[in-house]
Amino acid sequence: QVQLQESGPGLVKPSQTLSLTCTVSGGSITTNYYYWSWIRQPPGKGLEWMGAINYSGSTYYSPSLKSRTSISRDTSKNQFTLQLSSVTPEDTAVYYCARARTRIVADRGVGYWGQGTQVTVSS
């Protein structure tokens, strides 16, 4: 069974860049025809799809975040990463990575999800 694990700093200063890595085991990030997504959940709010990278390396972003979001991958390590620039306290959330057959994911019942990692934006 495929497993996903998020990692990265839990605390980021305002105006800096949030960087997270999703390490995948039990399956390849190049396997047809999956999308590998980043989703977040701010306190008291619902899940928000941020973007995805597919099996061939194509990227897709939420319109509200695309100006400061970058998703990339390292196939040799079977990892994909999230970078979110110019962060503010509004970016404080639990961040998840996930695999699904669909590009946009906002349902924990669809696909495989990591456990999530808390990221706090604070000075």
Side-chain angles (χ1 to χ4, degrees):
Q1 181 177 330
V2 64
Q3 297 181 10
L4 298 86
Q5 177 67 60
E6 304 90 347
S7 62
L11 181 64
V12 183
K13 295 181 178 179
S15 81
Q16 295 190 337
T17 296
L18 182 161
S19 183
L20 297 174
T21 297
C22 183
T23 300
V24 179
S25 62
S28 174
I29 62 173
T30 64
T31 297
N32 298 353
Y33 296 94
Y34 292 110
Y35 295 89
W36 304 85
S37 294
W38 287 99
I39 308 99
R40 68 180 183 179
Q41 185 169 34
K45 298 183 179 180
L47 296 167
E48 178 186 21
W49 178 79
M50 302 180 69
I53 188 165
N54 77 359
Y55 67 99
S56 66
S58 298
T59 54
Y60 312 86
Y61 300 104
S62 169
S64 64
L65 296 170
K66 65 181 180 180
S67 65
R68 58 191 186 100
T69 303
S70 179
I71 297 172
S72 59
R73 67 178 185 172
D74 185 338
T75 58
S76 68
K77 297 180 179 179
N78 212 36
Q79 296 176 330
F80 63 104
T81 63
L82 169 72
Q83 291 190 303
L84 182 67
S85 65
S86 303
V87 298
T88 73
E90 294 296 310
D91 294 310
T92 294
V94 176
Y95 285 76
Y96 300 91
C97 57
R99 187 196 77 176
R101 292 286 189 179
T102 57
R103 187 199 314 169
I104 300 175
V105 179
D107 183 351
R108 288 292 302 275
V110 177
Y112 289 86
W113 290 59
Q115 66 182 7
T117 187
Q118 173 70 45
V119 178
T120 299
V121 179
S122 175
S123 62

